Amino acid sequence: MEQFFQVGIVTSTHGVKGEVKVFPTTDDSRRFKRLKEVILDTGKERITLEIEGVKFFKQFVILKFKGIDTLNDVGKYRKASLFVPRENAVRLSRDEYFIADLCGLTVQNEDGQTIGVLREVMETGANDVYIIDLNDGRELLLPAIKQCVLAVDVEAGFIQVHILEGLLD
C-alpha cells in the first residue's frame, strides 16, 4: 500500500511574497484548508513544509509556506509534487477507496475465477472506469458502477466484478 498520496503539483509562483500556485490532484481541493503540512518532492529531495496560508483561485490552490517569504525562495519548487502521509489523508466513506490502493488488485469474475489485474483507474465525469489487463492479453474498460463492481477487498487483494454484456466484444 502507498504510504504517501499526491495532493497537488506546484505549477508556478504567485505574487512576490513566496506563494505558489498548485494544481490539485485530489478530488476535493478544499482539503488544503485542513492540512497543516505537506511533503514537497523536488525529484532530488523531500522537504516537509508547514502551510501558513491557503487561498483558492479558479481551479488552483494558492499556498503560502511558513519561512518561505520571497519569490526567489519558492521559485525553485516549480513542477514539484506535494504529498501527504497516509495518516493525514482524507477519511473515506463506506465503499470509497484510494486509487493507489486499487491499482494492482486481482480482478475476479462472479465465480471467483481470476480474470486479470486492475492496471489503472480513469476518472471521468459520470463515473470512474477501471482499466483491467485481462489474463488473455486483452484490455477491459469496466465502468466502476454498482452493477459491475460487486465487491472490493483491498486487504485480501481482489475486486469481484460482473462484466456487462457487450463489454468484451
Side-chain angles (χ1 to χ4, degrees):
M1 283 192 183
E2 296 284 330
Q3 295 308 310
F4 297 93
F5 296 119
Q6 184 183 48
V7 293
I9 300 169
V10 176
T11 60
S12 64
T13 59
H14 181 79
V16 295
K17 296 183 179 179
E19 294 176 314
V20 292
K21 190 184 293 186
V22 174
F23 179 76
T25 56
T26 176
D27 60 351
D28 181 12
S29 61
R30 294 268 178 230
R31 74 180 316 272
F32 282 92
K33 282 281 194 190
R34 296 186 301 274
L35 285 177
K36 297 194 184 333
E37 63 184 25
V38 292
I39 299 166
L40 183 131
D41 187 346
T42 65
K44 296 177 183 170
E45 63 180 336
R46 284 190 169 199
I47 306 163
T48 300
L49 296 171
E50 187 177 339
I51 296 175
E52 190 174 281
V54 178
K55 297 186 276 189
F56 299 96
F57 177 71
K58 297 184 180 178
Q59 79 267 27
F60 295 99
V61 179
I62 309 298
L63 294 181
K64 170 71 175 79
F65 300 117
K66 188 173 185 173
I68 298 178
D69 300 314
T70 69
L71 181 65
N72 290 339
D73 292 342
V74 79
K76 60 187 172 190
Y77 298 140
R78 193 169 161 269
K79 295 187 180 177
S81 296
L82 300 176
F83 292 89
V84 296
R86 179 179 283 276
E87 59 268 14
N88 292 348
V90 294
R91 301 275 181 247
L92 297 177
S93 301
R94 186 172 179 259
D95 294 331
E96 286 186 329
Y97 307 93
F98 292 114
I99 291 173
D101 291 342
L102 295 176
C103 292
L105 292 183
T106 299
V107 180
Q108 301 175 351
N109 64 15
E110 296 161 290
D111 299 327
Q113 295 173 308
T114 299
I115 61 167
V117 174
L118 179 66
R119 176 174 26 106
E120 188 178 338
V121 177
M122 182 182 356
E123 298 177 73
T124 67
N127 54 266
D128 290 348
V129 175
Y130 290 174
I131 301 173
I132 301 167
D133 291 330
L134 297 173
N135 292 340
D136 63 9
R138 294 183 296 164
E139 176 182 271
L140 171 64
L141 301 178
L142 186 79
I145 57 176
K146 288 182 181 181
Q147 295 89 335
C148 293
V149 180
L150 305 177
V152 176
D153 191 332
V154 173
E155 301 300 320
F158 74 89
I159 299 172
Q160 189 172 42
V161 300
H162 167 73
I163 300 172
L164 295 175
E165 189 174 324
L167 285 180
L168 285 175
D169 297 338

